[in-house]
Amino acid sequence: MERAPTALELAASEATEELDKLLPGQGSLPFRISNFQSRFLVPLRQREQLFELALDACEQNTKENWELPLDSGVKINWTREVSTPWHSYLGEGASEISINPLAMGYIGSMVDVACHEGYPGHHAQHVLLEQNLNDVGDFSPEERLMLLRTQKTAVLEGAADYGIGLAFPQDKRLEFERDVLFPLAGLDTSEIELYLRVHHLVKIANAGVTKTIQAYADEKLPSVAAAVRLENDFLVASPRAVLEFVDRLGAYAAIYPLSKLTITGFLDGQAKSKIAYWKELEAVSYTHLTLPTNREV
């Protein structure tokens, strides 16, 4: 018997239907999305500047809500040796984010990556974690060593994704991209609202990949079939890259949407105001929130 679609798959299906209406025309939906987004590519020579502006804005918006006295800043390592952005916490409030400029083509990636990897994402999370350990006098190696495939790091991935929308609500993001990023990139702002809506819906569609990734990691779905499903059903622009990521990290690659869903549910149940959302998200950085293990998502 065929299994029922999960909540994330249902949301992905609804996002796909809306995208189909927003971008009518010839060709498959992935082709139409790619064709539309290609109009919003940032020139290679501008990518470093735009990302640094986005990182500064994410930092400013975060520090309006969090105190980070230990923060000593983020160093950007622009390199073609990585395929996806990668955060490394160096200790004493310092981080390095390695980024391939070729992977930062779409202007929507600037805010997403800056917030996820920087503020209020991984850099800020680790600053808060180190501050908290210093405050309680805990210098034990087991608390300061952050292993990748653990509940804690999985929760932090979801919190980093959730923090994007908290640092940049829809209206603030529209204003920042329209008034700062788009003009510097030389892009037309006449379709910016449509672009941001498409960008948002594509992320929702991407989040439905959990079960497909799990099936591929468990060798229940061959790579060709998995790639086709990722592209056609969940609008993943680079399915082969996703599968290579799964090959390296296993089903951990599926934790991003699951963790964000958990964080969203947790915060919605705890917070009653914008200030409270920031406070609860801060607490997630150094408390032990547990991901569900048996819920269909």
Side-chain angles (χ1 to χ4, degrees):
M1 184 176 67
E2 187 175 351
R3 66 170 176 82
T6 68
L8 289 174
E9 287 173 337
L10 287 173
S13 179
E14 292 174 0
T16 298
E17 290 178 8
E18 184 175 347
L19 284 164
D20 194 38
K21 295 175 182 177
L22 287 174
L23 301 174
Q26 299 295 319
S28 67
L29 181 57
F31 172 81
R32 282 178 275 146
I33 291 172
S34 177
N35 189 47
F36 174 75
Q37 290 181 323
S38 67
R39 305 207 294 267
F40 301 92
L41 281 171
V42 178
L44 184 60
R45 65 183 182 278
Q46 301 281 40
R47 293 178 189 179
E48 294 184 19
Q49 179 188 13
L50 262 66
F51 180 79
E52 290 171 3
L53 287 170
L55 183 64
D56 288 344
C58 292
E59 179 181 2
Q60 178 180 339
N61 294 346
T62 298
K63 289 184 175 179
E64 289 175 0
N65 298 277
W66 286 352
E67 291 185 10
L68 300 172
L70 185 65
D71 181 26
S72 56
V74 177
K75 175 185 176 183
I76 309 301
N77 175 29
W78 293 98
T79 173
R80 299 191 182 185
E81 297 300 315
V82 297
S83 56
T84 57
W86 193 263
H87 166 267
S88 299
Y89 190 63
L90 307 177
E92 298 184 357
S95 288
E96 180 178 89
I97 302 175
S98 297
I99 304 177
N100 187 334
L102 299 179
M104 294 292 291
Y106 295 127
I107 196 164
S109 300
M110 300 297 172
V111 168
D112 286 349
V113 174
C115 286
H116 182 100
E117 304 293 346
Y119 305 84
H122 294 324
H123 170 67
Q125 289 169 346
H126 284 78
V127 169
L128 289 169
L129 179 60
E130 186 175 16
Q131 285 179 186
N132 182 66
L133 291 173
N134 289 345
D135 289 344
V136 300
D138 188 345
F139 300 98
S140 57
E142 59 268 24
E143 287 295 331
R144 291 175 180 267
L145 181 63
M146 188 68 70
L147 301 177
L148 180 61
R149 303 187 194 193
T150 65
Q151 281 272 356
K152 184 60 180 177
T153 51
V155 167
L156 293 181
E157 291 293 356
D161 262 356
Y162 184 91
I164 299 170
L166 199 57
F168 270 100
Q170 185 176 1
D171 57 342
K172 181 178 282 191
R173 180 161 184 165
L174 174 63
E175 180 182 0
F176 175 68
E177 298 209 12
R178 181 194 64 213
D179 298 344
V180 179
L181 298 188
F182 269 61
L184 284 173
L187 299 178
D188 182 9
T189 61
S190 63
E191 291 186 296
I192 187 171
E193 292 190 38
L194 176 59
Y195 174 75
L196 289 176
R197 183 61 182 167
V198 169
H199 181 73
H200 175 69
L201 290 170
V202 168
K203 289 203 294 184
I204 293 175
N206 290 169
V209 302
T210 302
K211 291 298 179 182
T212 299
I213 286 178
Q214 288 177 336
Y216 172 72
D218 292 339
E219 299 184 352
K220 297 178 180 178
L221 188 66
S223 61
V224 173
V228 169
R229 186 179 299 177
L230 289 173
E231 181 176 16
N232 293 337
D233 294 352
F234 307 113
L235 308 179
V236 174
S238 303
R240 294 293 179 185
V242 171
L243 296 181
E244 288 174 4
F245 189 68
V246 177
D247 290 338
R248 284 197 296 119
L249 296 179
Y252 182 87
I255 206 65
Y256 294 85
L258 169 61
S259 181
K260 184 182 178 183
L261 186 68
T262 301
I263 295 294
T264 301
F266 173 76
L267 293 179
D268 285 347
Q270 299 289 321
K272 304 302 179 185
S273 66
K274 179 182 177 181
I275 294 175
Y277 272 93
W278 277 102
K279 182 178 179 181
E280 294 296 338
L281 187 65
E282 177 181 352
V284 165
S285 298
Y286 46 83
T287 56
H288 297 285
L289 185 64
T290 302
L291 293 176
T293 56
N294 58 356
R295 186 174 66 184
E296 287 291 318
V297 294

